[in-house]
Amino acid sequence: MKLTVVGCSGSFPSADSACSSYLIEAEGYRLLLDLGNGALGELQKYCGLYDVDAIAISHLHADHCIDMCGYFVARYYRFEGGRCEPIPVYGPSGTEQRLITAYHDTPSDDSMREVFDFRTLTSGATYEVGPLRLTALRMTHPVETFGFRVEHAGRTLSYSGDTGRCDALTVLAKDADLFLCEASFTHGKEDIADVHINGRQAGECARDASVERLVLTHIPPWTDAQVNLCDAKAVFGGPVELARPGAVYDI
């Protein structure tokens, strides 16, 4: 698998990065995890607009899904080549209605599904997505949120989505070759259960799950990413780094 970080800023775009979006490629197949604020523009640096094969949305907060509205425009109103065929969109319950509401003025109630084949995620379920095996696990966050485990050819990428500390996060990350984990909060500063975790907690989870490599992501512009990086390194003995736009990982 190849992972490309399209956007990694938490909560809102930073001066340097769009919000959450991650492109996974294997055997010519392209799966997109999340499409947050600003990510659609960045995506075009790494992949053609019509070359995405499937999308998985972790949850329905704007910083993870709102650019799906722009992507609807690109797919629905395409002139050259005609309208795009529907592609699978795996998401929480209510994903279609959330996007219709955000867009506000779709041509009809059925317009979104004319280009997006909406499929509702179930915690613990595994989906065959092209050559990839996608498992969704419910995380702890104020809205229904899933983390994803993506497997191919004996290798595993785990993506936390947004989450507070929970046992499911350790299960999700177990023995992953790369653990892409949010670190929105700062240890000793924010202490809000069931919303986000900090760099230290991400490092502890990586240690407990025996992951090979930890990449911290979803760090908001108002959070000092270097503090979170140091906190993670203090408790996890493996390689740790900060996600950055355009970074590519071979898994």
Side-chain angles (χ1 to χ4, degrees):
M1 288 183 288
K2 182 173 82 170
L3 164 67
T4 302
V5 178
V6 178
C8 55
S9 185
S11 301
F12 58 96
S14 72
D16 301 313
S17 178
C19 284
S20 295
S21 190
Y22 310 94
L23 180 65
I24 300 171
E25 299 174 79
E27 299 181 32
Y29 192 93
R30 295 178 176 90
L31 169 66
L32 194 63
L33 303 181
D34 287 339
L35 195 60
N37 314 43
L40 183 62
E42 294 298 301
L43 176 65
Q44 295 170 71
K45 295 178 180 178
Y46 315 110
C47 176
L49 276 176
Y50 309 112
D51 295 331
V52 176
D53 295 294
I55 302 171
I57 301 295
S58 64
H59 65 293
L60 300 179
H61 281 156
D63 59 324
H64 292 258
C65 74
I66 202 64
D67 269 25
M68 288 290 289
C69 291
Y71 198 36
F72 163 75
V73 172
R75 295 186 69 86
Y76 188 86
Y77 292 104
R78 183 176 72 163
F79 182 77
E80 296 294 338
R83 182 174 298 165
C84 297
E85 292 295 318
I87 62 168
V89 175
Y90 299 84
S93 57
T95 296
E96 179 183 11
Q97 188 56 52
R98 173 75 170 92
L99 297 180
I100 290 172
T101 301
Y103 190 87
H104 182 63
D105 191 27
T106 54
S108 73
D109 290 341
D110 297 330
S111 296
M112 282 281 177
R113 71 185 68 159
E114 290 182 40
V115 293
F116 297 140
D117 177 11
F118 292 101
R119 305 180 184 189
T120 301
L121 293 167
T122 300
S123 186
T126 296
Y127 307 88
E128 301 301 326
V129 184
L132 303 168
R133 186 175 177 86
L134 176 74
T135 301
L137 282 179
R138 180 77 180 264
M139 297 291 104
T140 173
H141 198 54
V143 299
E144 184 182 31
T145 303
F146 295 91
F148 297 120
R149 189 175 173 91
V150 185
E151 297 169 280
H152 177 263
R155 310 292 284 178
T156 301
L157 161 70
S158 291
Y159 168 51
S160 67
D162 284 7
T163 186
R165 193 69 172 92
C166 60
D167 291 341
L169 184 60
T170 305
V171 173
L172 182 84
K174 185 65 176 174
D175 297 325
D177 297 286
L178 190 148
F179 182 29
L180 184 61
C181 186
E182 76 121 288
S184 305
F185 287 164
T186 304
H187 178 61
K189 181 182 175 185
E190 300 102 336
D191 185 18
I192 307 170
D194 301 333
V195 179
H196 293 294
I197 61 175
N198 57 49
R200 183 180 182 85
Q201 290 170 320
E204 290 170 342
C205 183
R207 178 197 64 202
D208 296 346
S210 301
V211 308
E212 181 69 26
R213 185 178 194 179
L214 173 62
V215 178
L216 301 178
T217 193
H218 198 275
I219 300 177
W222 53 44
T223 297
D224 188 334
Q226 291 301 320
V227 170
N228 284 10
L229 180 63
C230 289
D231 286 346
K233 286 182 174 180
V235 293
F236 177 60
V240 188
E241 61 189 274
L242 299 172
R244 57 178 178 79
V248 175
Y249 301 91
D250 290 317
I251 303 169

